[in-house]
Amino acid sequence: MFYVQRDAQGELIRAEAVAFAESTGTLPADHHEIQAWFANEEAELSLKQLKHSDSEMIRVLEDLIQVLIQKGVINLTDLPVAAQAKLKDRSHARESLGGLSHLINDDETGLI
């Protein structure tokens, strides 16, 4: 059984396993609205996790591209012009902030 809160239009706006002051009713766990609520909540959580990790992955990709260029595996000019410009802009921005060399913990292993 889940305690639920609905808005003025009757739409489900909150569902909890324990009672809360604003609850306006209850629904069984197998009710389609409860199933949809938690499916949507799980999707939102996954999206938040992806958004949070995006900036971290950008840094990893920048560093990977830099290593590939330094090792001569690729040239910056192998990348599309727009990608070259973005990498150069980010490189200049990082340099102007002192390189931001300690953003990634060097003790982290097994990332790639």
Side-chain angles (χ1 to χ4, degrees):
M1 187 67 64
F2 284 90
Y3 297 86
V4 298
Q5 180 181 3
R6 296 182 182 277
D7 63 14
Q9 291 75 37
E11 295 293 320
L12 194 61
I13 59 171
R14 184 175 172 189
E16 302 284 340
V18 295
F20 57 96
E22 301 85 5
S23 66
T24 56
T26 59
L27 289 173
D30 62 350
H31 192 276
H32 69 91
E33 285 182 293
I34 293 296
Q35 297 295 314
W37 175 265
F38 284 106
N40 187 40
E41 191 172 89
E42 186 174 321
E44 285 183 28
L45 178 61
S46 294
L47 285 172
K48 284 180 186 177
Q49 288 173 334
L50 284 173
K51 286 179 183 179
H52 175 73
S53 70
D54 282 352
S55 60
E56 295 168 353
M57 279 305 299
I58 289 168
R59 178 62 196 263
V60 169
L61 290 173
E62 282 181 78
D63 290 348
L64 175 62
I65 291 167
Q66 187 64 35
V67 166
L68 293 173
I69 290 170
Q70 287 173 350
K71 291 189 177 268
V73 176
I74 64 170
N75 293 310
L76 183 62
T77 55
D78 293 338
L79 301 172
V81 174
Q84 292 176 43
K86 289 176 185 174
L87 286 168
K88 287 177 185 175
D89 288 345
R90 288 190 56 85
S91 177
H92 291 299
R94 283 170 48 180
E95 286 175 16
S96 70
L97 292 172
L100 302 177
S101 60
H102 300 291
L103 284 181
I104 294 180
N105 185 351
D106 291 334
D107 294 337
E108 292 179 1
T109 59
L111 291 178
I112 297 179

